[in-house]
Coordinates of all heavy atoms in Angstrom, one line a residue:
A1 N 5.9 -1.0 4.6 CA 6.6 -1.4 5.9 C 5.5 -1.5 7.0 O 5.6 -2.4 7.8 CB 7.6 -0.3 6.2
M2 N 4.5 -0.7 7.0 CA 3.4 -0.8 8.0 C 2.7 -2.1 7.8 O 2.3 -2.7 8.8 CB 2.5 0.4 7.7 CG 1.4 0.5 8.7 SD 0.3 2.0 8.4 CE -1.0 1.7 9.6
A3 N 2.5 -2.5 6.6 CA 1.8 -3.8 6.3 C 2.6 -5.0 6.9 O 2.0 -5.9 7.4 CB 1.5 -4.0 4.8
R4 N 3.9 -4.9 6.7 CA 4.7 -6.0 7.3 C 4.6 -6.0 8.8 O 4.6 -7.1 9.4 CB 6.2 -5.8 6.9 CG 6.4 -6.2 5.4 CD 7.9 -6.3 5.1 NE 8.6 -5.0 5.2 CZ 8.7 -4.1 4.1 NH1 8.2 -4.5 2.9 NH2 9.3 -3.0 4.3
C5 N 4.6 -4.8 9.4 CA 4.4 -4.8 10.9 C 3.1 -5.4 11.3 O 3.0 -6.2 12.3 CB 4.5 -3.3 11.4 SG 6.1 -2.6 11.2
E6 N 2.0 -5.0 10.6 CA 0.7 -5.5 10.9 C 0.6 -7.1 10.7 O -0.1 -7.8 11.5 CB -0.4 -4.9 10.0 CG -0.5 -3.4 10.3 CD -0.9 -3.0 11.7 OE1 -1.6 -3.8 12.3 OE2 -0.5 -1.9 12.2
Q7 N 1.4 -7.6 9.7 CA 1.4 -9.0 9.5 C 2.1 -9.7 10.7 O 1.7 -10.7 11.2 CB 2.2 -9.3 8.2 CG 2.2 -10.8 7.9 CD 3.0 -11.1 6.6 OE1 4.1 -10.4 6.4 NE2 2.6 -12.0 5.8
T8 N 3.2 -9.1 11.2 CA 3.9 -9.6 12.4 C 3.0 -9.6 13.6 O 3.1 -10.6 14.4 CB 5.1 -8.7 12.7 OG1 5.9 -8.7 11.5 CG2 5.9 -9.3 13.8
L9 N 2.1 -8.6 13.7 CA 1.1 -8.6 14.8 C -0.1 -9.4 14.6 O -1.0 -9.4 15.4 CB 0.7 -7.1 15.0 CG 1.8 -6.1 15.4 CD1 1.3 -4.7 15.3 CD2 2.3 -6.4 16.9
F10 N -0.2 -10.1 13.5 CA -1.3 -11.0 13.1 C -2.6 -10.1 13.0 O -3.7 -10.6 13.4 CB -1.5 -12.1 14.1 CG -0.3 -13.1 14.1 CD1 0.6 -13.0 15.1 CD2 -0.1 -14.0 13.1 CE1 1.7 -13.8 15.2 CE2 1.0 -14.8 13.1 CZ 1.9 -14.7 14.2
N11 N -2.5 -8.9 12.6 CA -3.6 -8.0 12.4 C -3.9 -7.9 10.9 O -3.5 -7.0 10.2 CB -3.3 -6.6 12.9 CG -4.4 -5.6 12.8 OD1 -5.6 -6.0 12.5 ND2 -4.2 -4.3 12.9
A12 N -4.7 -8.9 10.4 CA -5.0 -9.0 9.0 C -5.8 -7.8 8.5 O -5.4 -7.3 7.4 CB -5.8 -10.3 8.7
P13 N -6.8 -7.2 9.2 CA -7.5 -6.1 8.6 C -6.5 -4.9 8.4 O -6.6 -4.2 7.4 CB -8.5 -5.7 9.7 CG -8.8 -7.0 10.3 CD -7.5 -7.7 10.4
G14 N -5.6 -4.7 9.4 CA -4.6 -3.6 9.3 C -3.7 -3.8 8.1 O -3.3 -2.9 7.4
E15 N -3.3 -5.1 8.0 CA -2.4 -5.4 6.9 C -3.0 -5.2 5.5 O -2.4 -4.6 4.6 CB -2.0 -6.9 7.0 CG -1.0 -7.3 5.9 CD -0.8 -8.8 5.9 OE1 -1.3 -9.5 6.7 OE2 0.0 -9.3 5.0
A16 N -4.3 -5.6 5.4 CA -5.0 -5.4 4.1 C -5.2 -3.9 3.8 O -5.0 -3.4 2.7 CB -6.4 -6.0 4.2
L17 N -5.5 -3.1 4.8 CA -5.6 -1.6 4.6 C -4.3 -1.0 4.2 O -4.3 -0.2 3.3 CB -6.2 -1.0 5.9 CG -6.4 0.5 5.9 CD1 -7.4 0.9 4.9 CD2 -6.8 1.0 7.3
A18 N -3.2 -1.4 4.9 CA -1.9 -0.8 4.5 C -1.5 -1.2 3.1 O -1.0 -0.3 2.4 CB -0.9 -1.2 5.5
L19 N -1.8 -2.4 2.7 CA -1.4 -2.9 1.4 C -2.3 -2.1 0.3 O -1.8 -1.7 -0.7 CB -1.7 -4.4 1.3 CG -0.6 -5.3 1.9 CD1 -1.1 -6.7 2.0 CD2 0.7 -5.2 1.1
T20 N -3.5 -1.9 0.6 CA -4.4 -1.2 -0.3 C -4.0 0.2 -0.5 O -3.9 0.8 -1.6 CB -5.9 -1.3 0.2 OG1 -6.3 -2.6 0.4 CG2 -6.8 -0.6 -0.8
D21 N -3.6 0.9 0.7 CA -3.1 2.3 0.6 C -1.9 2.3 -0.3 O -1.7 3.3 -1.1 CB -2.9 2.8 2.0 CG -4.2 3.1 2.7 OD1 -5.2 3.2 2.1 OD2 -4.1 3.2 4.0
A22 N -1.0 1.4 -0.1 CA 0.3 1.4 -0.8 C 0.0 1.2 -2.3 O 0.6 1.8 -3.2 CB 1.2 0.2 -0.3
A23 N -0.9 0.3 -2.6 CA -1.3 0.0 -4.0 C -1.8 1.3 -4.7 O -1.4 1.6 -5.8 CB -2.3 -1.1 -4.1
R24 N -2.7 2.0 -4.0 CA -3.3 3.2 -4.6 C -2.2 4.3 -4.8 O -2.3 5.0 -5.7 CB -4.4 3.7 -3.7 CG -5.6 2.7 -3.8 CD -6.7 3.1 -2.7 NE -7.9 2.2 -2.9 CZ -8.8 2.0 -1.9 NH1 -8.6 2.6 -0.7 NH2 -9.8 1.2 -2.1
L25 N -1.3 4.4 -3.8 CA -0.3 5.4 -3.9 C 0.7 5.1 -5.1 O 1.1 6.0 -5.9 CB 0.5 5.5 -2.6 CG -0.2 6.2 -1.5 CD1 0.5 5.9 -0.2 CD2 -0.4 7.7 -1.7
F26 N 1.1 3.8 -5.3 CA 1.9 3.4 -6.4 C 1.2 3.7 -7.7 O 1.8 4.2 -8.7 CB 2.3 2.0 -6.3 CG 3.4 1.7 -5.4 CD1 3.3 0.7 -4.4 CD2 4.7 2.3 -5.6 CE1 4.4 0.4 -3.6 CE2 5.7 2.0 -4.7 CZ 5.6 1.1 -3.7
L27 N -0.1 3.4 -7.7 CA -0.9 3.6 -8.9 C -1.0 5.1 -9.3 O -0.9 5.5 -10.4 CB -2.3 3.1 -8.8 CG -3.1 2.7 -10.0 CD1 -2.4 1.8 -10.9 CD2 -4.5 2.2 -9.6
S28 N -1.2 6.0 -8.3 CA -1.3 7.4 -8.5 C 0.1 7.9 -9.0 O 0.1 8.8 -9.8 CB -1.6 8.1 -7.2 OG -2.9 7.7 -6.7
S29 N 1.2 7.4 -8.4 CA 2.5 7.8 -8.9 C 2.7 7.4 -10.3 O 3.3 8.2 -11.1 CB 3.6 7.1 -8.0 OG 4.9 7.6 -8.4
E30 N 2.2 6.3 -10.7 CA 2.4 5.8 -12.1 C 1.6 6.8 -13.1 O 2.0 7.1 -14.1 CB 1.9 4.4 -12.3 CG 1.9 3.8 -13.7 CD 3.4 3.6 -14.2 OE1 4.3 3.5 -13.3 OE2 3.6 3.6 -15.4
K31 N 0.4 7.1 -12.6 CA -0.5 8.0 -13.4 C 0.2 9.4 -13.6 O 0.1 10.0 -14.6 CB -1.9 8.2 -12.8 CG -2.7 6.9 -12.9 CD -4.1 7.1 -12.2 CE -4.9 5.9 -12.4 NZ -6.2 6.0 -11.7
E32 N 0.8 9.9 -12.5 CA 1.5 11.2 -12.6 C 2.7 11.1 -13.6 O 2.9 12.0 -14.4 CB 2.1 11.5 -11.2 CG 1.0 12.2 -10.3 CD 1.7 12.8 -9.0 OE1 2.9 12.8 -8.9 OE2 0.9 13.2 -8.2
N33 N 3.4 10.0 -13.5 CA 4.5 9.8 -14.5 C 4.0 9.8 -15.9 O 4.7 10.4 -16.8 CB 5.3 8.5 -14.2 CG 6.2 8.7 -13.0 OD1 6.3 9.8 -12.4 ND2 6.7 7.6 -12.5
R34 N 2.9 9.2 -16.1 CA 2.3 9.1 -17.5 C 1.8 10.4 -17.9 O 2.0 10.8 -19.1 CB 1.2 8.1 -17.5 CG 1.7 6.6 -17.5 CD 0.5 5.6 -17.3 NE 1.0 4.3 -17.4 CZ 1.1 3.6 -18.5 NH1 0.7 4.1 -19.6 NH2 1.6 2.3 -18.5
A35 N 1.2 11.2 -17.0 CA 0.7 12.5 -17.4 C 1.9 13.5 -17.7 O 1.8 14.3 -18.6 CB -0.1 13.1 -16.2
L36 N 3.0 13.3 -17.1 CA 4.2 14.1 -17.4 C 5.0 13.5 -18.5 O 6.0 14.1 -19.0 CB 5.1 14.1 -16.1 CG 4.5 14.9 -14.9 CD1 5.4 14.6 -13.7 CD2 4.4 16.4 -15.2

């Protein structure tokens, strides 16, 4: 949601950072599910 806001503000660096954080969190969640 933060990335969408940054896109609306035409803040590409902020959008890229938010997308990267989201990607890493989704990946960590997937690894947790696999570990369990």
Side-chain angles (χ1 to χ4, degrees):
M2 184 179 173
R4 286 193 292 271
C5 292
E6 297 299 329
Q7 184 184 39
T8 304
L9 295 168
F10 300 101
N11 180 14
E15 181 188 358
L17 180 61
L19 283 168
T20 303
D21 287 342
R24 289 170 178 163
L25 287 166
F26 277 128
L27 200 58
S28 297
S29 183
E30 180 68 25
K31 288 178 179 178
E32 279 191 5
N33 286 352
R34 285 171 177 267
L36 295 169

